[in-house]
Amino acid sequence: MNKHLLSAVSVCCAAAITASGPAQACTGIAFEAKDGTRIQARTIEWSGYDLKAKLAVWPRGVKKTAYTPQGKNGKTWTTRYGVVGATTVMDEFITEGINEKGLSAGIFFFSHYGSLAPYNPKKAAKSVSDAELVPWLLTNFATVDEALKGLKKIEIIPIAAADENGSYNTGHWRIADATGRSMVLEITNKGERHIYENDLGVLTNSPDFPCHKANLNNYINLHPGTVAPREFGGTDMFSFGASSALLGLPGDFTPPSRFVRAFFFLHSLRQPADTYAAVTQAFHILNAFDIPLGSEFALDQQIPDIPSATQGTCVSDTTRTAFYYRTMYNSQIRKVDLAKIDFSAIPYGTYDLDETPREEIKDRTF
């Protein structure tokens, strides 16, 4: 099998499993605007090399067959719903996407925790690789409930090689629908499935979702705003600047720190009025999680020649079924309105996310 295919799961959510290399770094948020617009948004990071991400447009009625370690001989299905999303590494591997019914899904790397059972060739016909689970979900189901029922009927398998401990590392998944319901699927201990209701509106990487939720208790002292002046020990004390009530908010790029930071940013957000405000606010929040490329490498390591570790940011409007994105090459927000696509006629394909991989700088003249 193609060597890029074998390594795709390890980079599908832009994350490495070694401490000396690039670190896992995807950050996701979800919220609702006053007009009912529901948003699912996330970053996609990988600092090892350019993921060559593309924009995928999948119509209805296309026959698909999943990969296994033996080749393309896994579960076969026909796409029921049209899908738009962002791929990484290979055109079949949609990392983040949305379908025409408002179901949204994405994979976030789950280093040291995600653990699949070995592939069983006798179950090839019901096997879907972890790198293809997002498109399988999006092309088959309209709601979270439907997706959860469907998941019971398949084997989720590795196509990447086992690590030095014999474990098959994988991601965990966020699955959300147009009602705003959002679930986290995690697979640990060589195949144990765990499903959690995501009532926090945040997802990053390792550790598992319950650990992230419990860790928030370590920051019970934090709250938005500025601490009022006070006298203590005979000394008048005051804040040097705004947001001093959040002093102690972790600022590093580890998954637990990003989870805490995203939680406080999200839940101190003034609720946006409408779709435009919600979409732009999602991008503004995720600006805080853009990772400068060199921060993931030791001083004696070579830094790849790409603009950013944050290779893409995606925002899905699950209410009006639209997919927005920007890339490390172009911070212009672009939109694909699924309601304007005839998924019974449009051809199956992938397209470059950027017409030109270069940030446009406009001159202002006076």
Side-chain angles (χ1 to χ4, degrees):
M1 187 182 296
N2 185 301
K3 66 178 181 179
H4 293 297
L5 175 59
L6 288 174
S7 65
V9 172
S10 299
V11 299
C12 193
C13 190
I17 61 173
T18 60
S20 60
Q24 56 267 28
C26 303
T27 301
I29 57 173
F31 60 93
E32 182 176 341
K34 290 180 181 178
D35 71 348
T37 301
R38 296 186 175 95
I39 295 294
Q40 295 286 338
R42 56 90 57 88
T43 61
I44 300 174
E45 276 87 13
W46 173 248
S47 58
Y49 47 82
D50 190 337
L51 288 172
K52 304 295 183 184
K54 292 184 178 180
L55 180 69
V57 180
W58 290 19
R60 306 181 207 116
V62 175
K63 187 176 181 180
K64 300 291 296 181
T65 301
Y67 285 100
T68 76
Q70 296 174 306
K72 210 169 185 179
N73 67 322
K75 184 173 179 59
T76 295
W77 76 97
T78 301
T79 60
R80 184 179 181 188
Y81 299 114
V83 173
V84 171
T87 71
T88 52
V89 182
M90 292 184 65
D91 289 353
E92 292 90 343
F93 299 167
I94 296 178
T95 298
E96 178 69 27
I98 182 174
N99 73 14
E100 59 184 306
K101 295 297 183 179
L103 187 73
S104 169
I107 182 172
F108 294 64
F109 199 67
F110 199 31
S111 175
H112 303 293
Y113 282 77
S115 174
L116 296 172
Y119 165 64
N120 183 347
K122 294 180 180 180
K123 297 181 179 180
K126 58 185 296 189
S127 295
V128 176
S129 75
D130 51 354
E132 296 170 282
L133 186 61
V134 168
W136 180 80
L137 289 166
L138 295 178
T139 55
N140 280 294
F141 307 110
T143 67
V144 166
D145 281 338
E146 288 180 6
L148 295 180
K149 290 177 182 177
L151 284 167
K152 296 177 181 179
K153 300 177 182 179
I154 65 165
E155 299 290 321
I156 302 172
I157 64 162
I159 51 174
D163 66 14
E164 64 275 9
N165 298 316
S167 294
Y168 292 94
N169 295 290
T170 187
H172 56 179
W173 292 265
R174 186 258 303 122
I175 309 166
D177 62 24
T179 69
R181 189 179 181 198
S182 182
M183 311 298 292
V184 177
L185 166 64
E186 297 182 340
I187 304 176
T188 62
N189 299 321
K190 297 184 178 180
E192 289 182 11
R193 295 190 189 185
H194 308 273
I195 296 173
Y196 306 103
E197 199 91 32
N198 190 343
D199 53 351
L200 301 179
V202 177
L203 189 63
T204 58
N205 311 101
S206 303
D208 58 39
F209 188 72
C211 285
H212 280 299
K213 194 170 185 177
N215 184 49
L216 290 173
N217 292 303
N218 284 320
Y219 301 91
I220 191 172
N221 59 299
L222 301 183
H223 57 89
T226 303
V227 177
R230 67 188 179 104
E231 184 273 337
F232 186 76
T235 300
D236 291 329
M237 305 175 70
F238 58 89
S239 297
F240 286 124
S243 301
S244 57
L246 284 174
L247 190 64
L249 186 71
D252 61 82
F253 294 116
T254 62
S257 293
R258 285 184 288 104
F259 194 102
V260 172
R261 200 156 69 249
F263 175 83
F264 277 95
F265 291 165
L266 180 65
H267 292 285
S268 60
L269 172 70
R270 181 180 69 178
Q271 188 177 25
D274 54 22
T275 302
Y276 172 82
V279 169
T280 54
Q281 192 59 232
F283 280 106
H284 280 303
I285 291 174
L286 292 177
N287 278 341
F289 299 91
D290 275 6
I291 299 179
L293 191 64
S295 65
E296 296 188 352
F297 292 87
L299 294 177
D300 60 349
Q301 289 182 304
Q302 183 175 353
I303 300 174
D305 185 18
I306 54 176
S308 173
T310 305
Q311 297 201 21
T313 303
C314 307
V315 175
S316 291
D317 174 356
T318 61
T319 306
R320 292 171 178 80
T321 60
F323 184 77
Y324 300 80
Y325 71 90
R326 68 183 183 201
T327 73
M328 63 179 172
Y329 292 113
N330 187 346
S331 55
Q332 173 69 54
I333 298 171
R334 282 147 286 177
K335 174 185 177 182
V336 180
D337 188 343
L338 278 72
K340 294 181 179 179
I341 299 175
D342 183 353
F343 285 107
S344 65
I346 194 170
Y348 173 94
T350 57
Y351 308 85
D352 290 338
L353 288 168
D354 299 299
E355 293 181 6
T356 303
R358 183 176 176 84
E359 193 78 53
E360 181 181 0
I361 299 175
K362 291 186 177 181
D363 286 325
R364 288 287 303 273
T365 57
F366 300 94

